[in-house]
Amino acid sequence: MPTSRVPAAVDALLSILRAAPALADVRIVDGPPATNLTEPKQLFVGWQPGADAAVALEQDFASAGARTRDESFEIACYTETRSGDKDMALQRAAVFELVAAVETALRATDAAPTAPTLNGTVLWAHLTTGNLQQVQSEGTVAGLAFTVTCRARI
């Protein structure tokens, strides 16, 4: 019996996002960037700029008798878009389109009925928080740090 659903849930989230048609042109990264990447569209699972943790989790007994435990956790994610121009509104809209694609990928459909459960690894998962970041120097960068919150029974 696993002591946490975090590893399986992160793997399932990556799999769902990599299979999402709306994210086909996005570089999806497991964890932090290895170098200073300059792709126009990136999505990081298990990393946010300045975050203390890739995943924050909490467990407690599910009921009297201590036979099962409930686990709640938040997967830190970050997506950004960049361009060489100075149109911040365009990048801001583009980064929110990427997060909308993530949210859509986590919804149940006929093709992906188990997406909200991260393919059965958790009871449910959904986007819960977000923080917009904008930078303008040699072009524009809009980034959105967001959290996928999950609940599991172990």
Side-chain angles (χ1 to χ4, degrees):
M1 174 179 269
T3 58
S4 176
R5 298 304 297 159
V6 169
V10 171
D11 291 347
L13 178 57
L14 284 160
S15 176
I16 289 167
L17 296 177
R18 288 176 174 152
L23 297 171
D25 64 340
V26 178
R27 182 171 188 270
I28 298 174
V29 180
D30 182 357
T35 60
N36 186 9
L37 304 173
T38 58
E39 283 89 357
K41 296 179 184 177
Q42 301 179 86
L43 172 60
F44 300 91
V45 174
W47 180 78
Q48 290 176 348
D52 292 331
V55 178
L57 65 112
E58 182 176 304
Q59 295 181 358
D60 203 351
F61 291 113
S63 61
R67 292 178 185 238
T68 59
R69 294 177 62 79
D70 286 331
E71 181 176 47
S72 298
F73 54 93
E74 297 176 341
I75 304 170
C77 299
Y78 176 74
T79 190
E80 72 177 25
T81 62
R82 58 178 63 231
S83 175
D85 63 29
K86 299 291 183 181
D87 191 345
M88 186 57 74
L90 182 64
Q91 295 312 308
R92 187 172 42 250
V95 80
F96 273 93
E97 286 176 19
L98 291 180
V99 173
V102 170
E103 188 172 20
T104 298
L106 292 177
R107 291 185 179 154
T109 64
D110 289 338
T114 61
T117 64
L118 299 181
N119 297 336
T121 62
V122 298
L123 298 172
W124 50 259
H126 63 125
L127 270 71
T128 53
T129 63
N131 294 300
L132 176 66
Q133 301 165 352
Q134 301 179 131
V135 177
Q136 199 163 48
S137 59
E138 295 178 16
T140 53
V141 177
L144 195 81
F146 64 94
T147 302
V148 175
T149 299
C150 304
R151 178 89 167 166
R153 170 85 29 100
I154 53 175

